[in-house]
Amino acid sequence: MLLFKDQTIVPAQFSKYPRMRFMGNKYKLIPWINKTLESVDYQSVLDPFSGSGTVSYYLKTLGKDVTSSDFLNFPNVITCALVENDNVIISNKSINKLITNNGELNFAYLTYKDIFYTYDDLKFIDSFWGNLNYITNRFEKSIAITALIRACAKRQPRGTFTVSDPTKYNDGRRDLTISIKEHFIEQCHEVNNAIFKAAGKCESIRKDVFNHKQYYDLVYLDPPYIPKENDNCYMKRYHFLEGVSCYWKGQDIMESSKVKKIAKPFTPFSYKKTAVQTFDKLFSHFSKSKIALSYSSNSIPSIEILESLMLKYKDKVTIHSKEYRYNFGNHTKAKINNAEEFLLIGE
Ligand SMILES: C[S@@+](CC[C@H](N)C(=O)[O-])C[C@H]1O[C@@H](n2cnc3c(N)ncnc32)[C@H](O)[C@@H]1O
């Protein structure tokens, strides 16, 4: 067991989770979520907005039967490696093969030169994808791609891809000075170190939330809320990670955008016009399951609306809250907001 600063306890395995910068990730809130969920009885659990994968990984450490999912590809690759995968690690032989320069492909270099990274970094990404067929095991492949995703995120200032100026947020951190290849080798070992055998049955699937079956003992919901300022578009911030996770195969790149973004997939959670009815549909869809909904006070819809919507489908809704500091940032401003974090439990 692992004791956090606030005296809450989570399984020690959780300390091995390779933390990632991802908007709205719940890493720091895990001890509080852990304590809050203690009173809920469940074995099967769905995390359909998995994002960085931190909550799914934590649920796996508890021995739950975890279904981890997101509608983007890169979160799914990460949870395939870290949540569904029980015992496969990437070998040194595979790492050496993947870092060999082969000159076969050039898409990353041709598309992103003068936008992101150096010549060597982009050629490394091209070589990696040229070499990847060498790995046939699905989990070993997912570890390799996870290490590449993490390498690209670490090498990029603030881990987001909204602007192309590498000097803008360069504070000289080591992460910004070593190459993607060096990061990749480190990240293979970091991911290997986090892999463990689940006591429950875990799976990772890529799906829209409404395409999941409707019954799990518990559904943990952490959807994108509409912030009072700024926007909640994951593709705008992380399009490069989404692209690199599948070598941009089948992706619709917006040629007119300065940073060669991928077109964002529609999600009804992102628009004021559709948000309330979408939450109603969400609670209705999972009406047979217990629901734990994460919510931050800086968002739309309001907690009162969410509570009343949940009460349409649940006998009892309990609201737990915690003070929390969020870092919000975009390319014009970055600030810290004090927010109250809520967990609404509907049973
Ligand atoms: C707030 S983040 C989840 C953060 C996550 N709990 C963590 O700790 O990293 C919301 C996630 O919902 C995903 N998403 C948005 N709309 C979706 C939809 N309609 N179906 C499935 N996933 C969706 C986004 O890709 C994003 O990863």
Side-chain angles (χ1 to χ4, degrees), residues 130-300:
N131 291 326
L132 194 64
N133 279 341
Y134 165 83
I135 298 183
T136 50
N137 181 285
R138 175 166 94 88
F139 293 120
E140 197 179 15
K141 219 174 219 177
S142 70
I143 297 168
I145 304 172
T146 298
L148 181 67
I149 293 166
R150 293 179 53 77
C152 292
K154 282 180 167 282
R155 178 85 169 98
Q156 175 69 3
R158 297 160 65 244
T160 57
F161 298 84
T162 47
V163 279
S164 81
D165 182 354
T167 56
K168 197 155 181 193
Y169 298 102
N170 190 342
D171 56 7
R173 275 182 303 127
R174 174 181 178 270
D175 276 356
L176 303 180
T177 57
I178 68 170
S179 67
I180 289 187
K181 179 176 168 179
E182 288 166 299
H183 274 300
F184 171 75
I185 298 167
E186 285 185 6
Q187 290 309 311
C188 283
H189 296 296
E190 179 107 10
V191 176
N192 272 351
N193 186 41
I195 286 158
F196 70 102
K197 183 155 177 43
K201 193 176 167 310
C202 297
E203 61 177 348
S204 161
I205 329 170
R206 181 183 178 188
K207 266 189 190 178
D208 185 277
V209 62
F210 292 109
N211 293 334
H212 281 284
K213 68 172 185 167
Q214 291 167 282
Y215 182 76
Y216 293 83
D217 296 341
L218 177 69
V219 179
Y220 168 74
L221 298 171
D222 188 15
Y225 288 96
I226 304 168
K228 295 213 168 112
E229 293 175 43
N230 211 341
D231 64 79
N232 65 0
C233 183
Y234 283 83
M235 197 58 110
K236 177 174 119 182
R237 290 165 178 82
Y238 304 115
H239 63 94
F240 193 93
L241 304 183
E242 183 69 357
V244 86
S245 75
C246 58
Y247 202 54
W248 293 271
K249 198 171 158 201
Q251 300 285 7
D252 177 13
I253 295 183
M254 297 165 71
E255 291 301 332
S256 59
S257 97
K258 277 189 189 152
V259 290
K260 297 281 165 74
K261 271 192 296 196
I262 297 172
K264 63 178 175 192
F266 173 76
T267 182
F269 293 95
S270 291
Y271 305 94
K272 282 187 189 159
K273 255 206 303 215
T274 48
V276 172
Q277 74 202 52
T278 304
F279 276 96
D280 193 352
K281 187 174 160 197
L282 187 66
F283 301 151
S284 162
H285 188 83
F286 294 115
S287 61
K288 296 193 187 84
S289 309
K290 290 173 193 165
I291 293 176
L293 174 79
S294 270
Y295 174 79
S296 164
S297 60
N298 289 323
S299 329
I300 294 166

Side-chain angles (χ1 to χ4, degrees), residues 17 20-27 30 33 47-56 69-75 206-212 220-225 232 234-235 238 242 265-270 278 294 326:
Y17 169 76
M20 181 172 180
R21 289 179 89 153
F22 187 81
M23 180 170 67
N25 85 78
K26 294 293 173 288
Y27 180 85
I30 289 293
I33 292 174
D47 176 14
F49 302 100
S50 62
S52 67
T54 187
V55 178
S56 291
S69 177
D70 200 282
F71 77 162
L72 295 183
N73 187 56
F74 79 94
R206 181 183 178 188
K207 266 189 190 178
D208 185 277
V209 62
F210 292 109
N211 293 334
H212 281 284
Y220 168 74
L221 298 171
D222 188 15
Y225 288 96
N232 65 0
Y234 283 83
M235 197 58 110
Y238 304 115
E242 183 69 357
F266 173 76
T267 182
F269 293 95
S270 291
T278 304
S294 270
Y326 267 107

Side-chain angles (χ1 to χ4, degrees), residues 79-140:
T79 52
C80 181
L82 287 165
V83 179
E84 181 169 339
N85 174 23
D86 265 345
N87 50 26
V88 174
I89 57 167
I90 189 165
S91 66
N92 284 334
K93 197 171 157 207
S94 297
I95 298 173
N96 287 333
K97 176 71 191 170
L98 290 171
I99 62 175
T100 309
N101 216 341
N102 67 25
E104 272 176 36
L105 303 171
N106 56 14
F107 181 85
Y109 171 67
L110 289 181
T111 313
Y112 292 101
K113 69 177 170 176
D114 303 327
I115 301 177
F116 298 122
Y117 306 127
T118 62
Y119 173 86
D120 286 344
D121 286 332
L122 293 169
K123 291 307 280 180
F124 173 79
I125 292 171
D126 286 326
S127 278
F128 169 96
W129 275 97
N131 291 326
L132 194 64
N133 279 341
Y134 165 83
I135 298 183
T136 50
N137 181 285
R138 175 166 94 88
F139 293 120
E140 197 179 15

